[in-house]
Amino acid sequence: DLTSLQDASFGDALKLQYGTTQCNPDLRQAIATANGVSAEDVVITIGGMHALFLAAFCICEPGDEVITTTPLFPNTRSTLESVRARIRTIRLTFDAGYKLTPEDVSSEMTPTTRMVSLATPQNPSGVAISPETLQQIAEQMTRISPQSYLIVDETYREAVYGQNAPVPSAASLHPRIVSIASLSKCHGAPGLRIGWAITQD
């Protein structure tokens, strides 16, 4: 039974009970510290996909305009489709090294854009978007579509070569940026369904 399983496997270390809405404060603080923000900026989710869906659900109404790229992790596009957003797609190509420029985004942006959804490093290309480019995109958004948010899926941000340091989280670049990540892929812990969204707004 459950009691004997708990006693045999975990002893008193595992408490089977409801957590708080805010989640464990130590976990929120650890994520905040790793991303250069305060714990109050962190929302814990059940994996990164949960965070991507919550962002789309909270920001977009049916018919709202969203900008994203292709190629793109298919489930990310599914979250945008699930809230019935009108999706404008920037085509990234092999010949251009799958690089995204601020001009690529601004050329698709209108005053009614509600969200720009990007990933860095991108999945499946693995190409990263520089913090400078993200900063420029966020600044363009405040001028062209001031009610919009930049969603940055940073699930693979800490996947670096050798001793290279990861770039800082996009969460600290601009108040209209929402950073999303999880433990599942980059940290090789898919059984721990923990993700997060970070925003300073």
Side-chain angles (χ1 to χ4, degrees):
D1 67 7
L2 187 58
T3 304
S4 61
L5 174 64
Q6 182 177 352
D7 291 343
S9 303
F10 304 105
D12 292 330
L14 177 66
K15 303 293 185 193
L16 296 178
Q17 61 192 24
Y18 288 110
T20 66
T21 304
Q22 296 294 322
C23 196
N24 180 289
D26 293 334
L27 176 61
R28 291 177 68 217
Q29 185 58 61
I31 292 168
T33 300
N35 288 275
V37 296
S38 76
E40 290 74 32
D41 298 331
V42 178
V43 176
I44 304 296
T45 59
I46 306 168
M49 282 309 305
H50 183 204
L52 286 167
F53 173 77
L54 282 178
F57 183 79
C58 291
I59 295 170
C60 297
E61 297 289 334
D64 278 351
E65 184 178 280
V66 174
I67 299 169
T68 193
T69 63
T70 185
L72 176 71
F73 181 51
N75 289 347
T76 301
R77 188 174 182 94
S78 296
T79 64
L80 304 173
E81 292 170 343
S82 73
V83 297
R84 301 196 306 273
R86 287 186 301 114
I87 303 171
R88 298 171 68 99
T89 305
I90 299 166
R91 184 174 242 358
L92 304 175
T93 66
F94 176 83
D95 291 340
Y98 296 108
K99 292 196 176 181
L100 179 75
T101 68
E103 294 73 29
D104 293 331
V105 179
S106 64
S107 68
E108 293 293 333
M109 208 177 294
T110 73
T112 60
T113 300
R114 285 290 289 148
M115 178 192 288
V116 176
S117 180
L118 304 174
T120 181
Q122 298 159 354
N123 181 355
S125 74
V127 174
I129 304 170
S130 72
E132 294 77 19
T133 296
L134 292 172
Q135 178 83 45
Q136 290 173 33
I137 291 169
E139 289 170 1
Q140 289 172 344
M141 292 170 69
T142 61
R143 291 193 306 273
I144 300 170
S145 54
Q147 299 303 310
S148 62
Y149 289 88
L150 174 55
I151 307 302
V152 182
D153 180 347
E154 299 188 299
T155 297
Y156 290 103
R157 178 177 68 87
E158 295 182 89
V160 297
Y161 292 103
Q163 299 302 309
N164 292 330
V167 297
S169 171
S172 62
L173 295 175
H174 196 279
R176 303 296 281 192
I177 293 178
V178 180
S179 166
I180 290 174
S182 72
L183 288 177
S184 61
K185 296 180 177 69
C186 183
H187 297 282
L192 296 175
R193 298 302 300 152
I194 297 173
W196 52 89
I198 301 172
T199 180
Q200 296 187 82
D201 185 336

